[in-house]
């Protein structure tokens, strides 16, 4: 089923999380006994299934994507994976428009898997949405291997580099870079 979701993602031109990154997401959700999770970038539902598998049985995944067609596929994948509709809250819209509507301190984990240029706004939102001890996870923290190359100055790499630096230097986060998939930057909210 996850293989199907990954192959549909490939067909529609999306980069779904790798099995290694998915396992890390499931682990983080389970370690935090996560009941409320926010995902930015539903895609075809690959990462959502991994998160749901790590969350509490009564947990709800709030997943946001600007593309209704991606979410239509994800909805089917969630059902085929055995999750009843009440386990997911699927919201169509841009992250910057939807995140302000979500409640403060109500979430255990925030997973960001959308365009890197929106990272700063998502990190700011996560600081507000997460309970103390909750975890932020940013996908793509290795910027395709360019993160450590000082010659790489493209907009995406610069944004990722600046976001990682800001989180590392912030008193609000305890971060660690997990070198799985495209790199997961995980950070516990202090
Ligand atoms: C890499 S795909 C997500 C893959 C998914 N997490 C998975 O592993 O199956 C990125 C998704 O983010 C969505 N997206 C891009 N920019 C967005 C934004 N500003 N707000 C919400 N969704 C966005 C895209 O439509 C796309 O479906």
């Amino acid at each position: 089923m996850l293989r199907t979701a990954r192959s549909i993602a490939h067909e529609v031109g999306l980069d779904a999380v790798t099995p290694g990154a998915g396992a890390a997401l499931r682990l983080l959700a389970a370690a935090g006994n996560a009941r409320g999770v926010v995902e930015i970038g539903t895609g075809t539902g690959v990462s959502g299934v991994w998160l749901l598998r790590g969350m509490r049985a009564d947990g709800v995944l709030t997943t946001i994507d600007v593309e209704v067609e991606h979410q239509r596929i994800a909805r089917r994948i969630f059902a085929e994976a055995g999750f009843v509709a009440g386990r997911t809250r699927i919201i169509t819209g841009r992250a910057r428009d939807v995140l302000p509507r979500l409640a403060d301190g109500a979430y255990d984990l925030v997973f960001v898997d959308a365009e890197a240029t929106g990272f700063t706004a998502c990190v700011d939102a996560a600081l507000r949405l997460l309970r103390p001890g909750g975890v932020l996870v940013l996908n793509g923290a290795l910027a395709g291997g360019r993160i450590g190359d000082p010659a790489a100055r493209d907009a995406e790499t610069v944004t990722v580099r600046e976001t990682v630096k800001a989180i590392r230097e912030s008193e609000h986060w305890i971060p660690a870079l997990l070198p799985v998939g495209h790199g997961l930057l995980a950070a516990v909210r202090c």
Side-chain angles (χ1 to χ4, degrees), residues 28-37 54-60 108-109 131:
L28 291 168
N33 197 24
R35 186 182 211 164
V37 172
M55 293 167 67
R56 290 166 50 142
D58 61 349
V60 175
D108 306 295
L109 192 152
R131 63 164 169 83

Side-chain angles (χ1 to χ4, degrees), residues 15-17 41-43 45-47 65-67 70 93-95 113-115:
D15 205 2
V17 294
T42 313
V46 178
S47 50
D65 202 295
V66 74
E67 293 289 344
H70 298 171
R94 292 209 162 274
D113 191 17
E115 54 204 9

Side-chain angles (χ1 to χ4, degrees), residues 1-183:
M1 192 279 314
L2 274 177
R3 198 173 295 167
T4 307
R6 279 179 58 77
S7 116
I8 299 171
H10 185 69
E11 279 166 28
V12 298
L14 293 181
D15 205 2
V17 294
T18 63
L25 290 173
R26 182 181 57 177
L27 178 146
L28 291 168
N33 197 24
R35 186 182 211 164
V37 172
V38 176
E39 175 183 58
I40 300 150
T42 313
T44 58
V46 178
S47 50
V49 169
W50 281 106
L51 287 163
L52 284 160
R53 287 180 175 172
M55 293 167 67
R56 290 166 50 142
D58 61 349
V60 175
L61 173 72
T62 298
T63 183
I64 302 163
D65 202 295
V66 74
E67 293 289 344
V68 73
E69 179 57 20
H70 298 171
Q71 292 183 319
R72 191 186 60 76
I73 299 164
R75 196 184 302 275
R76 178 165 63 78
I77 293 295
F78 294 148
E80 285 176 10
F83 297 105
V84 296
R87 294 289 313 277
T88 56
R89 181 163 62 138
I90 299 174
I91 304 176
T92 309
R94 292 209 162 274
R96 67 165 180 257
D97 299 325
V98 177
L99 291 171
R101 307 199 318 244
L102 304 184
D104 293 7
Y107 297 92
D108 306 295
L109 192 152
V110 173
F111 175 53
V112 183
D113 191 17
E115 54 204 9
T117 48
F119 271 8
T120 306
C122 289
V123 172
D124 290 347
L127 190 61
R128 181 180 64 75
L129 297 172
L130 286 168
R131 63 164 169 83
V135 177
L136 164 68
V137 187
L138 293 176
N139 194 23
L142 294 174
R146 298 182 304 279
I147 192 80
D149 175 5
R153 303 292 305 162
D154 60 283
E156 183 190 331
T157 305
V158 169
T159 304
V160 173
R161 203 178 276 136
E162 286 175 354
T163 306
V164 170
K165 184 169 182 280
I167 289 175
R168 280 203 172 125
E169 292 175 353
S170 167
E171 63 188 15
H172 298 302
W173 300 107
I174 298 173
L177 179 61
L178 310 180
V180 288
H182 297 301

